Amino acid sequence: MKALAGLNKYLIKYKWLLLLGILFIIISNLFGVYAPKVVRDAFNDIAETINSVTVSDETYHTAIKQALIYAGIYMMYALLKGLFLFFTRQTIIVMSRYIEFDLKNEIYHKYQQLSQSFYRINNTGDLMNRISEDVSMVRMYLGPGIMYTINLAVVFIMVIIRMLLINAELTLYVLTPLPIMSVLIYYISKKINAKSHQKQQQQSLLTGIAQETFSGIRIIKAYAKENSVQRKFEKESQTYRKHVLDLVKIDALFMPVIVLLVGLSTILAIYIGGLKVYEGSIEIGNIPEFVIYVNMLTWPFASVGWVTSIIQRAAASQERINEFLNTVPDIQNNNPVAEPIKGEITLQNVSFTYPESGITALKNINIHIPQGQTLAIVGKTGSGKSTLAALITRLYDVCEGAVIIDGKDIRNINLDVLRSNIGYVPQEVFLFSDTIKSNISFGLKQHNLNEEKIIQAAKDADIYDNIMQFEQGMNTIIGERGVTLSGGQKQRISIARAIIREPAILVFDDCLSAVDTETEDKILKNLQRIMQGKTTLIISHRISSVKNADSIVVLHKGQVVEQGSHQELLDKKGFYFDLYQKQLLEEEKIN
Ligand code: ADP
Ligand code: MG
């Protein structure tokens, strides 16, 4: 229950809605409580009229008139009760929706702050669940949960007082079945919740299977695995059906339990009430009045059980949400002051071990890139090149040593400034399922957006002609909803996205791996102009991409093994020379 305390700040934020809601609940119930009194008076008056004198036309008419008047009053009460019930929902349920909105935003905001390692540990389904399912559960507590609890308290007090005033003994008899109903409903609700949770999970699993099948359909067809995928789906579908049927079975108990116990109360009201009328301790009209009271108490008593289980579930959900909200991002912005970046980069004794896998990717790296120069990094796969790029963009913080930009440890540089001054082309291209134009201009601020810049960036990345071949040009939608691009085309759009920002630092992580050497040459030539005055890090496993760099570093198993210009490294006849020879041979084979 403590977990739910975190929501109090929202209840305070919307206190006026809540207080108004409570007021409406009270007013609505006042009309509700007086309605049975009208019925009693109607019964008593009409009985009196009919019993008073010998039946004549006149008494008949009086009785009809009385009945109509009482019916009118009863109807008015019912209407007013309904009206205020409407207002109640308009305040408390609306409040719960506002809070749901706020809470989702709070979680989403947190998601944006959390670092990469968080996303490696937690899977997407889990992240989605907290923001959708768990938040919905919490909303059930904030909306119906709170509303029915307050309603229960108000109705209970009002109705019990009226019943006790009429006859304490009858009240006691009539009320006995109701607490039993609360307890039963509580257990039924708990079972329902558990089962629907199971159902939900199985549904997620099914969705997951379907989704994976759709994205992997090419492989499935190529390996002729349709049948086995089908069987897997069928098996999980069967489990799903079982859960659903279980749920239906328990669900089916809900109403009968209520009806049975309320029926018992009603019988008691009529039987014991009848005896009391016979004794003369209550009036005949009190019996229907009591029956209506019992009906008024039905839902509140049932809701005790239901609400209790809702609150329990909400508490569990909120605990899961809090777990994320209380996660402190590993990468923190330690400097609120935004100062411009020139771009001199130094790595000082940098070592890095991935916290999730314990793999030491970099060991004691010392590298210096003067402002405006180009440094290239070559090395085999797994030598730590991408890790180095991730450290410079501060996607991870170093474990030992420091990354220093313009003489300042990057942990003390404003994080926004740092990242917006780095044009980073990651090794794994990610493009949004949006137009080419929006993908290229993604990193630009709105006021900087202009068509010419986008076109120029596309030309520099040597993708412009390709784009123009599409019918929609720059407005072509790519990804799931649109055109599928080749690996090389994607890489070039990714490059255009990085260079359009004209950042002080450019980091290209193996971003030409999927283009042929001819295109590579063309892009590198265009980039020469863009790289003017910018500090550039080119990472590649291909010598052709790096040979023109001011300096080249050879990484091997996370360590710098050679450093120098292309010619110097060739003369050394070491790692670089070997790599060069191998790649020359390969190229000859191709040509
Ligand atoms: P390269 O870019 O040179 O191919 P990486 O920097 O990607 O090399 O990887 C260096 C080492 O770190 C590899 O052994 C790799 O398995 C490991 N590694 C890379 N990324 C991660 C990660 N996110 N979590 C754990 N280990 C990783
Ligand atoms: Mg890499």
Side-chain angles (χ1 to χ4, degrees):
M1 297 299 132
K2 231 197 277 166
L4 292 173
L7 295 167
N8 290 347
K9 64 172 183 222
Y10 289 121
L11 290 177
I12 290 169
K13 182 175 172 193
Y14 296 109
K15 59 177 177 294
W16 292 117
L17 276 178
L18 183 61
L19 290 174
L20 214 59
I22 295 175
L23 182 71
F24 290 146
I25 290 182
I26 294 173
I27 297 176
S28 145
N29 280 316
L30 272 177
F31 288 116
V33 164
Y34 278 96
K37 202 170 148 284
V38 176
V39 175
R40 176 191 69 191
D41 292 346
F43 265 71
N44 288 342
D45 281 5
I46 294 169
E48 203 181 315
T49 310
I50 294 173
N51 295 336
S52 58
V53 280
T54 45
V55 181
S56 68
D57 268 4
E58 200 186 331
T59 47
Y60 174 72
H61 284 300
T62 322
I64 291 278
K65 216 166 96 187
Q66 281 172 331
L68 281 177
I69 289 172
Y70 280 118
I73 297 174
Y74 187 84
M75 192 117 102
M76 197 185 70
Y77 276 7
L79 278 176
L80 285 169
K81 180 187 158 143
L83 184 69
F84 281 95
L85 206 61
F86 172 77
F87 289 148
T88 306
R89 297 190 75 90
Q90 280 298 303
T91 44
I92 293 188
I93 301 293
V94 165
M95 172 195 80
S96 75
R97 290 291 181 189
Y98 280 144
I99 298 181
E100 179 186 29
F101 171 80
D102 287 350
L103 193 57
K104 279 192 176 174
N105 278 322
E106 190 184 344
I107 299 171
Y108 198 73
H109 181 72
K110 188 73 191 189
Y111 280 174
Q112 302 281 330
Q113 288 177 330
L114 288 164
S115 55
Q116 272 205 322
S117 22
F118 173 84
Y119 286 95
R120 293 212 183 261
I121 300 166
N122 297 288
N123 66 28
T124 318
D126 209 20
L127 297 176
M128 300 295 281
N129 267 342
R130 313 243 165 157
I131 208 164
S132 56
E133 231 196 290
D134 283 333
V135 171
S136 305
M137 248 348 278
V138 170
R139 191 202 73 81
M140 285 299 279
Y141 151 71
L142 291 165
I146 288 184
M147 187 171 78
Y148 287 127
T149 307
I150 296 169
N151 189 54
L152 164 75
V154 173
V155 172
F156 188 76
I157 293 169
M158 285 183 174
V159 171
I160 296 288
I161 288 177
R162 290 210 57 83
M163 288 168 96
L164 285 174
L165 282 176
I166 296 163
N167 191 295
E169 203 190 327
L170 183 58
T171 308
L172 220 60
Y173 276 116
V174 170
L175 286 187
T176 349
L178 296 185
I180 302 171
M181 177 172 79
S182 297
V183 174
L184 285 177
I185 293 290
Y186 168 70
Y187 283 110
I188 293 173
S189 302
K190 225 173 132 147
K191 261 256 152 57
I192 290 178
N193 285 339
K195 282 282 163 202
S196 64
H197 185 65
Q198 265 183 346
K199 184 199 100 177
Q200 199 83 37
Q201 280 198 322
Q202 189 64 21
Q203 192 170 6
S204 307
L205 191 84
L206 273 183
T207 318
I209 293 177
Q211 219 163 28
E212 206 175 66
T213 309
F214 300 151
S215 26
I217 194 75
R218 275 167 67 178
I219 302 292
I220 292 170
K221 282 191 179 295
Y223 282 75
K225 281 287 182 190
E226 291 96 331
N227 282 336
S228 81
V229 171
Q230 172 83 36
R231 274 196 299 278
K232 188 172 163 197
F233 189 80
E234 250 170 40
K235 193 173 143 254
E236 298 302 342
S237 284
Q238 262 163 12
T239 315
Y240 177 74
R241 186 180 61 188
K242 190 183 161 296
H243 288 325
V244 173
L245 292 181
D246 283 354
L247 184 63
V248 169
K249 213 183 286 169
I250 301 167
D251 248 339
L253 274 178
F254 200 87
M255 281 322 279
V257 165
I258 293 181
V259 171
L260 184 78
L261 289 160
V262 170
L264 200 60
S265 271
T266 310
I267 289 172
L268 284 171
I270 295 171
Y271 179 68
I272 310 271
L275 291 179
K276 299 250 170 243
V277 175
Y278 190 69
E279 279 168 27
S281 55
I282 61 169
E283 295 167 317
I284 177 99
N286 289 132
I287 293 179
E289 190 183 3
F290 257 73
V291 170
I292 298 177
Y293 284 143
V294 166
N295 276 297
M296 282 181 73
L297 287 175
T298 309
W299 178 237
F301 267 95
S303 72
V304 177
W306 185 68
V307 166
T308 316
S309 80
I310 280 190
I311 293 177
Q312 280 178 350
R313 273 239 291 181
S317 285
Q318 186 62 34
E319 214 170 281
R320 277 196 292 273
I321 293 171
N322 287 344
E323 199 185 304
F324 276 5
L325 289 182
N326 297 335
T327 309
V328 182
D330 332 336
I331 309 289
Q332 298 271 358
N333 185 9
N334 301 319
N335 185 354
V337 189
E339 287 163 359
I341 281 179
K342 288 204 223 46
E344 182 207 14
I345 305 173
T346 311
L347 269 72
Q348 216 170 57
N349 303 323
V350 168
S351 295
F352 182 75
T353 303
Y354 277 100
E356 312 93 72
S357 63
I359 293 173
T360 301
L362 290 174
K363 273 172 263 169
N364 205 21
I365 304 282
N366 283 291
I367 289 175
H368 177 72
I369 321 176
Q371 195 272 324
Q373 294 226 343
T374 302
L375 180 91
I377 296 183
V378 281
K380 291 182 192 152
T381 333
S383 55
K385 306 183 297 294
S386 296
T387 308
L388 207 129
L391 292 183
I392 290 175
T393 47
R394 232 192 135 199
L395 291 175
Y396 288 97
D397 271 337
V398 295
C399 295
E400 273 168 51
V403 177
I404 296 163
I405 292 181
D406 296 346
K408 230 170 152 184
D409 191 320
I410 57 168
R411 282 168 288 196
N412 299 324
I413 294 176
N414 182 289
L415 194 59
D416 255 357
V417 172
L418 176 76
R419 293 204 178 136
S420 52
N421 273 289
I422 298 179
Y424 173 46
V425 186
Q427 184 170 14
E428 281 153 27
V429 179
F430 180 83
L431 298 177
F432 295 97
S433 195
D434 199 345
T435 59
I436 293 179
K437 193 163 144 187
S438 332
N439 267 293
I440 294 179
S441 63
F442 180 71
L444 286 183
K445 299 243 158 62
Q446 204 61 33
H447 61 88
N448 264 335
L449 250 177
N450 76 48
E451 202 82 12
E452 274 155 45
K453 270 191 186 171
I454 299 174
I455 292 174
Q456 189 55 49
K459 281 183 176 160
D460 290 335
D462 198 37
I463 184 75
Y464 185 72
D465 293 340
N466 278 261
I467 297 172
M468 284 306 128
Q469 276 167 9
F470 297 131
E471 221 167 87
Q472 311 266 328
M474 282 288 182
N475 293 319
T476 307
I477 298 211
I478 48 181
E480 252 179 45
R481 292 183 291 132
V483 175
T484 310
L485 299 176
S486 76
Q489 286 171 331
K490 282 187 201 158
Q491 282 188 336
R492 281 176 278 160
I493 288 182
S494 179
I495 292 172
R497 173 165 66 192
I499 58 182
I500 198 173
R501 300 166 79 174
E502 300 183 16
I505 298 169
L506 285 163
V507 178
F508 299 114
D509 187 358
D510 227 345
C511 63
L512 295 170
S513 59
V515 301
D516 54 86
T517 24
E518 207 175 308
T519 317
E520 180 185 25
D521 268 348
K522 216 158 147 193
I523 298 173
L524 285 172
K525 267 207 197 83
N526 293 341
L527 290 183
Q528 286 295 326
R529 188 177 51 71
I530 293 156
M531 280 150 47
Q532 282 290 322
K534 298 191 176 69
T535 313
T536 310
L537 188 71
I538 297 184
I539 293 172
S540 181
H541 62 277
R542 251 191 346 217
I543 302 283
S544 53
S545 301
V546 303
K547 59 177 187 274
N548 294 321
D550 297 313
S551 180
I552 301 165
V553 165
V554 182
L555 270 188
H556 184 66
K557 293 188 178 163
Q559 280 176 309
V560 176
V561 287
E562 279 173 12
Q563 179 161 14
S565 69
H566 178 65
Q567 198 52 53
E568 283 166 11
L569 289 176
L570 284 184
D571 293 345
K572 271 192 188 164
K573 300 234 173 344
F575 277 91
Y576 189 82
F577 181 75
D578 282 350
L579 206 63
Y580 184 63
Q581 291 291 330
K582 256 186 232 156
Q583 291 185 5
L584 266 188
L585 274 178
E586 269 168 31
E587 238 167 83
E588 271 166 18
K589 254 187 254 163
I590 294 166
N591 293 329

